[in-house]
Amino acid sequence: MSKLVPFETTLEVRDTCLCLHTQRAARALARRFDDALRPVGITNGQFSLLMSLNRPEPPAMAPVAKLLAMDRTTLTAALKPLERQGLVTAEINPDDRRSRLLVLTDRGRETLASAVPIWRETHAAVEAGLPALDACELRTALSALA
């Protein structure tokens, strides 16, 4: 005989679950940034990925995956559309021919440069919409969960 979960438990989870509330907020933020970045042809996830490659020296996959909290397979899948668009290339690492370095192309840097003002404007609007909440404290709390 199966046990039933009372509806009150459903309400408890709906009202208190940090995971649910974080997922909902993340989806809403993702949609907002996706809409804002659409004119430059990238999503918020692609913006984060391109930004993670904006370094003095091209990074290998492992540190990028770690920064973005992705496994290598997910990162590889996320890179494919950016490579097709000519925004990123994966080049053989001259110090370790088994690994690849992720390189922003000129077009990738131009796209990122076009996206940054949009990100700044959208980000400022999001923070302004949190008047009762300190954005710095929120970032600290989210980092503690990550």
Side-chain angles (χ1 to χ4, degrees):
M1 177 177 220
S2 65
K3 292 186 179 186
L4 298 178
V5 176
F7 182 63
E8 291 76 21
T9 303
T10 300
L11 298 177
E12 175 191 2
V13 171
R14 178 199 67 190
D15 296 341
T16 64
C17 181
L18 291 173
C19 188
L20 173 62
H21 286 272
T22 302
Q23 288 171 335
R24 290 181 63 179
R27 288 182 185 115
L29 279 171
R31 281 191 301 274
R32 186 165 181 175
F33 279 91
D34 282 348
D35 290 344
L37 293 167
R38 190 168 288 115
V40 294
I42 59 174
T43 66
N44 78 87
Q46 291 171 332
F47 173 81
S48 295
L49 179 46
L50 292 172
M51 190 58 72
S52 75
L53 304 181
N54 187 44
R55 305 175 185 207
E57 296 296 325
M61 289 188 64
V64 174
K66 183 176 180 180
L67 173 70
L68 297 174
M70 292 180 170
D71 59 50
R72 289 176 57 102
T73 303
T74 303
L75 176 57
T76 298
L79 285 166
K80 287 183 181 186
L82 297 175
E83 288 178 297
R84 283 193 299 270
Q85 292 174 31
L87 305 178
V88 174
T89 61
E91 299 178 359
I92 294 172
N93 183 343
D95 297 330
D96 179 359
R97 299 191 54 79
R98 295 169 296 164
S99 75
R100 301 284 181 266
L101 299 177
L102 303 175
V103 180
L104 275 176
T105 64
D106 288 343
R107 185 171 179 198
R109 283 188 288 278
E110 290 167 8
T111 299
L112 194 55
S114 296
V116 167
I118 296 167
W119 173 85
R120 282 192 175 126
E121 181 180 325
T122 305
H123 194 268
V126 167
E127 283 198 9
L130 302 171
L133 187 62
D134 182 281
C136 188
E137 288 179 14
L138 176 58
R139 278 187 287 276
T140 299
L142 292 171
S143 292
L145 292 172

